[in-house]
Amino acid sequence: LEDNFNIFQICDAFASKNKTKVWILFQQALLRGVSAEEIFWKIWWQLKNLLTVKKLSESGAKNIQKESGLHPFVVKKTLSALRNFTDDELRETSANLVKLYHNARNGNTDFSIGLEKLLINY
């Protein structure tokens, strides 16, 4: 395991649609004691950024950074990552994350297994 592990690497791999890297980083995070729920919220944050920046860019926003409240670095990376996703993929992944969260909270699915499945199938 890398000593310089950064959980945000999962977000970058997710945004670049590198499913192998996402899975490896997911496993490394779990081995380090990071909870599936914490990983879930990082992925949710990434997806929310993708949806927010996409909406602002398509609406002709003059200053995405200011209107989104996101750091310029995050906006730049998110704009680049948007090329990897269709509108349908973003909506479907968002819906699947919400469904996973509620199913896990209600005890209908194991959070870790559900998230792993989602990450290798998005």
Side-chain angles (χ1 to χ4, degrees), residues 21-117:
K21 189 170 184 180
V22 169
W23 184 80
I24 290 168
L25 291 167
F26 176 73
Q27 295 302 321
Q28 287 179 350
L30 292 177
L31 287 170
R32 282 183 160 68
V34 178
S35 71
E37 191 163 342
E38 184 176 348
I39 298 165
F40 169 90
W41 287 115
K42 295 296 186 271
I43 297 297
W44 180 259
W45 172 83
Q46 181 66 68
L47 187 61
K48 178 184 66 83
N49 289 347
L50 286 162
L51 289 164
T52 300
V53 170
K54 182 172 189 61
K55 184 175 182 181
L56 287 171
S57 67
E58 288 177 348
S59 72
K62 299 275 185 269
N63 188 336
I64 293 173
Q65 173 195 334
K66 184 177 179 185
E67 292 187 42
S68 68
L70 295 170
H71 189 277
F73 178 71
V74 174
V75 171
K76 182 180 177 190
K77 285 180 74 170
T78 303
L79 281 167
S80 176
L82 280 171
R83 289 176 281 172
N84 300 323
F85 294 89
T86 65
D87 288 348
D88 287 344
E89 287 172 325
L90 290 173
R91 278 193 294 276
E92 185 178 332
T93 304
S94 177
N96 288 338
L97 279 170
V98 170
K99 191 183 316 178
L100 167 64
Y101 182 80
H102 288 289
N103 284 336
R105 282 278 175 232
N106 293 327
N108 298 326
T109 194
D110 177 272
F111 213 149
S112 183
I113 293 170
L115 185 57
E116 182 176 10
K117 285 180 180 177

